[in-house]
Amino acid sequence: MSNSKVQITAIILVLSFFAFFALAPFFFMLISSFKPGDQIIKNGISASIDFDIMSLQNYKTLFTERSGIYLHWYKNSVLITTIQTAVAVFLSSWVGYGLAVYEFKGKNLIFVLVLVLMMVPIEILILPLYKLSITLKIIDSYAGVILPFIVPPVAVFFFRQFAVGLPTELIDAARIDGASEFAIFFKIMMPLMKPAYGAMIILQAMFSWNAFVWPLIVLRSNENFTLPIGLASLITPYGNSYDMLFSGAVISVVPIIILFMFKQNSFISGLTVGGVKG
Amino acid sequence: MQIFKNFYEKYINSKKVAPYIFVSPFILVFLVFYLYPIISTVIMSFQEIGFGEAKFIGLANYKKLFNVHYKNALLTSTNYTFWTILILVPLPIILAVFLNSDKTKFTNFFRSSIFMPALTSVIVAGMFFRYAFGEQASTLANSIIGIFGLEPITWLQNYIPAMIALVVLCVWRWLGVNIIYFLSGLQSIPEEIYEAADIDGANSWDKFKYITIPSLKPVIIYVITISVFGGYKMFAESYAYWQTATPNDIGMTIVSYIYQTGFNNFNMGFASAIGITLLLIVLVVNIIQLNIFGLFKKEEQ
């Protein structure tokens, strides 16, 4: 008996250690956000909590520094995340549904393409995509950030897996009633895919909000930056607004954490789709 | 109008055409944003691209790959991939087994807490760790090693400490995600198998070794695969720590090298050749993993 109690206590201790490892940086980030920025850049982040040097000043600079550039970045992030999530989730459900319910020539080839592209990291293609976005005149714009990712293969795969399980009898019945193929999608199938939409909207929103590599390449001017690019620019020689760094980082994480608190299960079911494919 | 309606009824809305309308957005994106860029990288890799027009120079860019910087970048990416996999496969499996046990308390709290770092962007997390790994004695990293009686380290200026800093950042952000993968794998193992093992008198270790690990094999392969891609494409973490000023190539990954060559030195041709080598690595790993999963066979049936 006591042996198993020792075991359980040991397990709880190990888990507590890793929970601490995971949460402590959030705490120190918050503490750092109240300290003068230049001091952190010079001395690094320490565990000390010294109320004399801590103030809300850094949060005020978010509104004032360079005529509120941070608010610009925030607005860009909100708009890009919203548009990209809406378009990407709709289009990938559209494609995934098509792959799931129809038999047609080339279907297997397209599905294998989806599987392969799921794994191709965008990092490999940054150079040609950069040149392409100049040619297409979408460089340094919202469209430039969004367009290459309007049909994410991972999301297509997710919706395809979900739509395979939809009841095909409903489709046949609707066809007999004279419904068009597209009406069937909009009126019957979209409502049935609601759980899949929930999971993908959240996951896609998180990806867009945190996206870094491609926006770093395609966004060129300061006022078009998204939050991650803006924050990264703060420590370059041109940035020089160290006070905004950690207060800005804290405020940028808040929306995702709130979303996570309310929609934990959607995060998890969205993430595990790739892992448990039959 | 009637003509349009007939046309719509007969062609667009037919079961033959509709599927192609459904998959067309994917095909379009594939052609424009994947296939065309891949082809143009291949072409650029055989060219010298200055400010004037591109000149065909054969394999010269590929011959240039035999230089010390490329070797350093390849080594850093490989080391990073190796160490992140070595930690981020066994550790989350063990933690997932702990979390999956019905005797463990507060499982929801632990699971959510360990998952939280995955919500941060690389830059936010990277900025935190960059300054937590500062060189002064008072920084978080140096005070932690100070507890064990070690001298302060200039973390980001030395190869091994810099690698540790990169791996810590990766483990912090991904541990919770991998736990979720393994948990979902664990939950699909039927309880009866364990009950049968209990009757045969198996102990916890036997059950872990002979039931849990073999049952998790598909998830393990999946996690290793995405970790290989994640490792070799790593760039943002390095950018957060050093931007593009990697001292003595410390922390310079393959993608950092592409970025520096292409965007700082405007040598698009050579950068493309580096990109092609990365594409080949990814392709080989991809083929191996698809074969292991037997997906090609399964989809044909």
Side-chain angles (χ1 to χ4, degrees):
Chain A
M1 275 307 272
S2 74
N3 190 15
S4 84
K5 254 193 182 151
V6 171
Q7 222 175 30
I8 292 169
T9 317
I11 286 176
I12 297 281
L13 274 177
V14 171
L15 289 171
S16 305
F17 170 80
F18 284 100
F20 179 77
F21 168 67
L23 295 179
F26 288 101
F27 173 74
F28 288 114
M29 236 184 272
L30 191 65
I31 297 292
S32 307
S33 73
F34 297 113
K35 294 179 180 173
D38 53 342
Q39 214 167 319
I40 290 178
I41 303 294
K42 223 171 76 205
N43 299 329
I45 289 174
S46 67
S48 77
I49 301 175
D50 179 358
F51 287 105
D52 291 338
I53 61 163
M54 287 164 62
S55 72
L56 287 170
Q57 190 52 42
N58 293 343
Y59 286 89
K60 284 187 197 145
T61 59
L62 294 181
F63 295 95
T64 56
E65 189 88 10
R66 283 188 273 158
S67 48
I69 190 88
Y70 183 81
L71 301 178
H72 259 288
W73 298 340
Y74 218 94
K75 185 193 80 187
N76 294 336
S77 270
V78 169
L79 287 176
I80 287 176
T81 300
T82 311
I83 300 168
Q84 187 164 39
T85 305
V87 178
V89 169
F90 171 73
L91 284 181
S92 42
S93 74
W94 177 259
V95 175
Y97 170 84
L99 278 176
V101 303
Y102 292 102
E103 287 305 326
F104 56 97
K105 244 193 175 147
K107 175 179 163 168
N108 285 337
L109 176 70
I110 294 173
F111 188 58
V112 169
L113 266 181
V114 171
L115 292 173
V116 172
L117 294 191
M118 269 169 73
M119 301 295 181
V120 173
I122 143 84
E123 282 79 354
I124 293 178
L125 300 174
I126 48 177
L127 281 175
L129 276 179
Y130 172 75
K131 288 194 79 179
L132 181 64
S133 63
I134 295 173
T135 317
L136 297 176
K137 298 203 166 47
I138 54 171
I139 190 112
D140 202 16
S141 71
Y142 287 0
V145 178
I146 295 168
L147 272 179
F149 303 99
I150 47 170
V151 191
V154 182
V156 171
F157 178 75
F158 179 81
F159 278 108
R160 187 264 182 194
Q161 298 303 81
F162 192 89
V164 164
L166 292 173
T168 43
E169 310 85 63
L170 282 180
I171 304 178
D172 295 331
R175 276 190 193 129
I176 292 166
D177 289 345
S180 80
E181 298 298 320
F182 307 106
I184 293 173
F185 175 79
F186 285 112
K187 295 200 181 115
I188 302 172
M189 291 314 186
M190 265 179 96
L192 289 178
M193 290 199 282
K194 231 172 140 185
Y197 281 110
M200 267 304 114
I201 285 172
I202 282 182
L203 206 67
Q204 185 60 45
M206 186 175 91
F207 284 143
S208 304
W209 186 258
N210 287 340
F212 179 69
V213 177
W214 177 240
L216 174 76
I217 308 283
V218 79
L219 295 176
R220 300 277 104 193
S221 47
N222 232 303
E223 60 274 21
N224 288 342
F225 285 171
T226 56
L227 281 170
I229 315 306
L231 289 172
S233 76
L234 290 178
I235 52 162
T236 62
Y238 325 102
N240 242 327
S241 314
Y242 302 140
D243 288 341
M244 288 160 67
L245 188 55
F246 283 97
S247 52
V250 167
I251 299 294
S252 79
V253 178
V254 167
I256 298 276
I257 290 185
I258 292 175
L259 197 62
F260 177 67
M261 301 226 162
F262 287 103
K263 291 273 172 200
Q264 249 191 69
N265 288 331
S266 298
F267 272 87
I268 288 162
S269 57
L271 269 178
T272 41
V273 57
V276 280
K277 50 190 175 194
Chain B
M1 277 314 283
Q2 192 59 40
I3 298 168
F4 283 117
K5 201 166 175 242
N6 282 343
F7 178 79
Y8 176 80
E9 288 296 333
K10 199 161 169 212
Y11 295 102
I12 309 287
N13 189 30
S14 75
K15 270 171 80 179
K16 269 208 175 107
V17 177
Y20 295 101
I21 293 175
F22 276 108
V23 295
S24 59
F26 173 76
I27 296 181
L28 210 64
V29 166
F30 166 71
L31 293 176
V32 178
F33 294 110
Y34 286 93
L35 191 62
Y36 173 77
I38 289 174
I39 292 171
S40 78
T41 322
V42 174
I43 294 170
M44 284 198 292
S45 75
F46 294 108
Q47 290 175 331
E48 186 181 295
I49 303 160
F51 292 99
E53 59 187 66
K55 198 174 77 191
F56 181 80
I57 52 165
L59 287 171
N61 286 326
Y62 288 95
K63 284 182 190 140
K64 266 201 271 177
L65 286 173
F66 296 96
N67 74 53
V68 66
H69 301 298
Y70 182 74
K71 199 192 88 191
N72 288 340
L74 193 62
L75 207 66
T76 299
S77 288
T78 307
N79 266 330
Y80 175 81
T81 308
F82 176 79
W83 287 107
T84 49
I85 291 176
L86 199 71
I87 296 171
L88 279 175
V89 173
L91 181 61
I93 290 181
I94 294 167
L95 295 179
V97 169
F98 287 174
L99 284 172
N100 200 41
S101 149
D102 40 347
K103 284 181 229 149
T104 312
K105 290 179 187 119
F106 318 117
T107 46
N108 270 334
F109 166 77
F110 286 128
R111 198 189 58 180
S112 312
S113 309
I114 301 174
F115 184 81
M116 284 260 284
L119 308 173
T120 61
S121 71
V122 188
I123 282 305
V124 168
M127 286 303 154
F128 170 78
F129 281 101
R130 173 185 175 133
Y131 294 108
F133 280 107
E135 56 199 56
Q136 283 77 9
S138 61
T139 58
L140 281 177
N142 277 334
S143 23
I144 289 170
I145 63 166
I147 298 172
F148 301 100
L150 295 167
E151 294 293 313
I153 294 176
T154 45
W155 291 93
L156 302 184
Q157 309 292 326
N158 289 296
Y159 191 84
I160 292 172
M163 185 56 71
I164 293 173
L166 284 170
V167 171
V168 166
L169 169 56
C170 180
V171 171
W172 186 70
R173 285 186 71 234
W174 289 101
L175 183 62
V177 178
N178 286 3
I179 287 178
I180 304 275
Y181 288 139
F182 289 121
L183 263 178
S184 78
L186 286 176
Q187 274 149 11
S188 63
I189 305 174
E191 197 57 42
E192 297 85 59
I193 303 183
Y194 287 107
E195 283 162 14
D198 281 332
I199 294 166
D200 292 342
N203 62 29
S204 304
W205 173 245
D206 286 338
K207 282 187 281 185
F208 181 73
K209 203 167 119 192
Y210 295 111
I211 302 172
T212 309
I213 294 296
S215 314
L216 284 181
K217 205 177 132 198
V219 189
I220 294 174
I221 294 168
Y222 175 77
V223 169
I224 290 179
T225 315
I226 56 169
S227 308
V228 172
F229 295 131
Y232 274 98
K233 72 169 195 187
M234 192 272 274
F235 164 63
E237 285 83 349
S238 166
Y239 188 91
Y241 280 178
W242 297 277
Q243 271 87 45
T244 53
T246 44
N248 297 323
D249 295 351
I250 285 169
M252 186 180 74
T253 65
I254 301 177
V255 179
S256 320
Y257 194 36
I258 296 177
Y259 185 92
Q260 291 177 21
T261 312
F263 293 105
N264 293 3
N265 304 335
F266 303 107
N267 195 344
M268 291 278 189
F270 181 42
S272 298
I274 308 168
I276 294 292
T277 64
L278 186 55
L279 192 65
L280 289 179
I281 294 173
V282 170
L283 224 66
V284 169
V285 177
N286 217 329
I287 289 167
I288 294 172
Q289 86 104 14
L290 286 178
N291 268 326
I292 293 175
F293 272 118
L295 272 172
F296 287 122
K297 274 179 228 143
K298 218 177 267 178
E299 292 307 323
E300 273 160 21
Q301 279 168 11

